[in-house]
């Protein structure tokens, strides 16, 4: 039985972790924390969990969390970097869904997050939890930095091209579209239905915090620095990321070879589904599921490779990937608890 | 292993049946039919099923279907009543998600559906598949008429009051709100996103086909004819039904007693969740799940009982309830394949 | 030239007032206030107004407002009741879109709003700004209480029946459905797209603040106290209210007579559109327009009258009605600035 | 008085033309045709027009249309090319909202539309109705080809860069996102709310019919052939196009100079709103209005220019632009009937 604690479970990644873990017979959810909701049943906040999760929220408490085998931080950035160390010292494995440990370069982290990192010594220890790249390291990891939602969709889409060295790594473009749940369950005018439905806009054009994370991952795949333009867009739906990726070949390519490249790269990956040649995946294909669906196109007329990559930002882009990491770390079936088929329509 | 066939699986109840059955280890999906899609892989139409359902659609064929233990009709009305008999004669159990066998009164059926019934002799045989009322009959049934979506939400909401005989059964009101998927996956202008999003309207005010079905069920609960006003509304969401039910007490009532009445009535029901007193369930609480959530209110100032009842129209209102029936018929755990927690948000 | 001031223009009723007034050649928008946005151009907050409204927000200031002919309060309740008096004393006419002056009964106001009323002496002076009832009083009014959104749709739907005395006034039911913009442009978790889209729920079942306002209006129409059950619902769209109204006849009625009653009652009303018999109006028919569309049905089988009444909650339910009041007060064409046709789709 | 006929007015561009023209005092809507709706009042199909448009639909009839000063074709492609000639011969000016006359190159038209062009001799006569480029030609035109929705947003976004010759015209990228109304008011499964809401997908990746139209316009601006990658996306909203445009500078550029370039290019354009430097326009800023809002960004790190261009696809992308053309052709104020402020929220 894996004893689990979840810190900061009042957000969307929290409720999604609970949805994915509550039915597991090999997992016991022992601690669910929230300062503001202390004492309230978890299911009073999330009525979909009635009968599945009967715990109340408790105030974060090191003693209680230290009894767990693994603690998930479903918090905004800035929390885990303060609290992870003491848990790690007591032998608790930590899976952080926030950005605190995603960047290896402390200076870069501090530049983008505008504050001092509280546990820089853990940056090296942390394993970037993208199983399709780091599965073996994850197995032994004590501290996992779960990739961001945009970074997951963009990296899975571009890595095959960069590993194969067949595109110009200096001018990659990721035009990404996200549902509103990516902004979290926090009261913010911009995320109101009245503001964000029936509309669409780009944001953070001058620079989004996921840019350095994506660049770091792509650099590893390319073996060299990459040049990436990343433009995120807010779109009127709850869940889903659609990344439209543009790359210029540096050698002669064709659609069947690209198709084979992707199928080969991901042939053993349980959660990456390379669609048939010519496909155009929709985000709803993966709603509620841990899958990334990818299609690769070659446009001969403009000599460009266009990759379409879709995920559910709250599952493969957050909580599902976190559980996938847990499964690998604890020797469970990697797909345990993640078999759910996407809800369509 | 329960061998399953699904007739007419290109609609939303079809894909939902497949989602609920595909992961079952005790179920084998052997035949999935569609005339128009013959030969195409089911997963080419429903990409969420890629890797889970590898069958192609086939033309409906009695021989193939007769090899099944149970055949689901996920067709519009008018199909099952023509095809069920021959399957039944060959010992195949039939679960019909359409309206063909829901009304016991042939004349009434023909009045509302404007055509002659093709198998009137089966109307008596058919068991109305509302487990909360007919569980024992379902166990032995050869032919199940799965209740409609509105009828499920309204009956589960009103039955406790009528069985207890504490409301005026001559003037019940059901103001019901449905998501657009209730209209099915057929090309119709009124169901276009551009027509039905950012809008809300009542429809079929003069009389909806679910009215006689609801009345039939309520009459059984009340032990006498009932007077029901039923006004359905189209609302801008994919899934969900919210029934707001109004009933006038014929004796002194109070909120705690009503609460106890509902809790008692449904205490052994795995899929009816009576919410705590004062609750106001949202349809999203049950999105993708087989649950009906109910809250009962008593408004003293106007001496009226208001019941709020929510379901996912495609699950408890259709395919989930169909699977629940199958589970009962075949002696499986009643909740098998239906444990999934609602997707929130 | 009518000199206009708008207090608290950062909300949805504010931007809607600006949309409706900015193109008027007989209106000059002189003051637009907001404490939090002081100094920022109005169009930086509402980019639809770029080029139409070039003012900055200013801090509310009695001197500046006193130069106006009319001041709109587009504030939450509790503001106008503190500020209106001094403006009125200086001869400025006040149109309050909040609830501060809607109830004539101070005790009732204080009961529902849980605080002491700051200007109880103005409650009698205030004219309830429903032109279809109070047009003549509005003409001379110094202080207008613009009706709430639910109250507008419900009163316009029920008044003909009550004035005619043909329904049981002791048991009226209003089942009302509103878009999310009714909750205003304030950061609140419940109004997030991720919380309120793809869902529907009743709220304030135990008692909504619009209940006493509606009852007050219906009492005037009926000439006696009424019994009203009012259940509001939150629905996944930005704009629109759909009120479904149930009333029991106390005499023999039929559909054509009811139709004639409504057509007669509203035949001179520019903003009440009685639809042809048998119609089922959709909220999108009036999106962005100042119209109320009404259809009246008589269901013989259950002997009940069902009235369907739709408005745009931000226009006829708020800012449009406020402008209609201004037009009447200042002797303009009543439809001035309000001719815009609803945006469909 | 401009006498207007509208052919094929049952679609979204039809109802939008009627919305924009019905209030005009200098325009008389004389003929509104639809074969399938013959005899029905226009307002029975579009209840927002009740009281504004009292005509019935009539069958298209050359005699009746020939009495008009101008006839709009709000039809799918393939209709105007058969009917325009006889009207032109009788002196009626024609504004075609379809694609029939947009491409100058007949062979290219026939390649993309897979059929023979029925009036190739009119291709040269037709004026491409983008006022920001062709205002003078439009003034005298007998036949206008109203630009497509994507082409309008993309061309207005890229033209300043190409005219200035400061970007690499051989590798332009247009990643465009459209609301569902772009697919028209026709029954199609893919446009159902249940299919297209809560989802997002690219489509026509291999080649969209708007590609040659955009390329033709960009070639004129650049003075040479251009290389364009155009990827359209279907997004879950009714109205709006957001084009995200990527161009690589061929010389040193900076944000202020780019800003000045755009402001200068469009300084006399009533319907192009160059937003302040650093802006990120949302499609809702222009919902229901004839505006194109544009923001230009220079990303130094990746040396790329990113232009954001938003329109309402049914207004500036179709019917509004058609009316703008009519205004120019008939010597009206160019903004007549198009002053309406966008509906926000």
């Amino acid at each position: 039985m894996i004893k689990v604690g979840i810190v900061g479970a009042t957000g969307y990644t929290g409720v999604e972790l609970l949805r994915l873990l509550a039915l597991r017979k090999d997992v016991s959810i022992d601690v669910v924390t929230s300062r503001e909701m202390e004492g309230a049943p978890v299911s009073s906040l999330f009525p979909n969990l009635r009968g599945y999760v009967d715990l109340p929220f408790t105030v974060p408490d090191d003693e209680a969390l230290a009894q767990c085998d693994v603690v998930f931080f479903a918090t905004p950035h800035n929390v885990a970097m303060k609290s992870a160390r003491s848990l790690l010292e007591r032998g608790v494995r930590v899976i952080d869904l926030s950005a605190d440990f995603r960047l290896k370069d402390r200076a870069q982290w501090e530049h983008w997050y505008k504050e001092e990192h509280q546990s820089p010594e853990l940056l090296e220890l942390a394993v970037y939890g993208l199983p399709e790249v780091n599965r073996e390291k994850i197995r032994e990891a004590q501290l996992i930095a779960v990739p961001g939602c945009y970074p997951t969709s963009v990296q899975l889409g571009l890595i095959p091209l960069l590993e194969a060295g067949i595109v110009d790594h200096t001018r990659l473009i990721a035009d990404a579209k996200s549902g509103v749940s990516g902004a979290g369950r926090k009261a913010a005018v911009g995320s109101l239905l009245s503001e964000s439905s029936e509309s669409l806009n780009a944001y953070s054009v001058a620079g989004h915090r996921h840019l350095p994370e994506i660049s770091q991952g792509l650099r590893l795949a390319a073996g060299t620095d990459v040049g990436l333009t990343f433009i995120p867009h807010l779109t009127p739906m709850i869940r889903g990321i659609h990344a439209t990726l543009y790359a210029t070949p540096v050698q002669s390519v064709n659609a069947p070879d690209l198709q084979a490249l992707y199928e080969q790269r991901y042939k053993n990956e349980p959660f990456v589904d390379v669609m048939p040649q010519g496909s155009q995946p929709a985000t709803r294909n993966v709603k509620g599921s841990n899958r990334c669906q990818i299609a690769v196109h070659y446009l001969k007329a403009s000599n460009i490779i266009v990759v379409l990559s879709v995920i559910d930002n709250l599952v493969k882009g957050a909580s599902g990937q976190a559980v996938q990491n847990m499964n690998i770390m604890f020797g469970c079936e990697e797909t345990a608890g993640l078999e759910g088929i996407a809800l369509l329509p």
Side-chain angles (χ1 to χ4, degrees), chain A residues 269-345:
Chain A
E269 289 300 335
F271 295 115
V272 181
D273 177 17
V274 178
M275 307 273 289
Q277 199 177 315
S279 296
Q280 295 160 154
T283 60
R284 71 178 192 143
N285 298 359
V286 298
K287 187 169 57 181
S289 98
N290 198 47
R291 267 194 179 169
C292 176
Q293 278 192 341
I294 295 181
V296 56
H297 292 255
Y298 175 60
L299 303 190
K300 199 172 174 180
S302 47
N303 187 34
I304 199 163
I305 297 167
V306 179
V307 183
L308 312 174
S309 167
V310 301
I311 59 169
D312 182 322
N313 56 305
L314 296 180
V315 192
K316 184 62 177 169
S319 305
Q321 188 142 267
V323 170
Q324 188 180 354
N325 274 277
M326 183 196 81
N327 289 345
I328 298 171
M329 292 163 84
F330 287 85
C332 314
E333 192 73 35
E334 188 166 333
T335 57
L338 300 171
E339 308 89 347
I341 299 176
L343 198 65
L344 178 162

Side-chain angles (χ1 to χ4, degrees), chain A residues 157-167 247 258 261-262 296 305 307:
Chain A
L158 287 176
I159 279 174
L161 298 176
L162 293 170
E163 288 179 346
I166 60 175
V167 294
L258 288 169
L261 172 70
Y262 275 73
V296 56
I305 297 167
V307 183

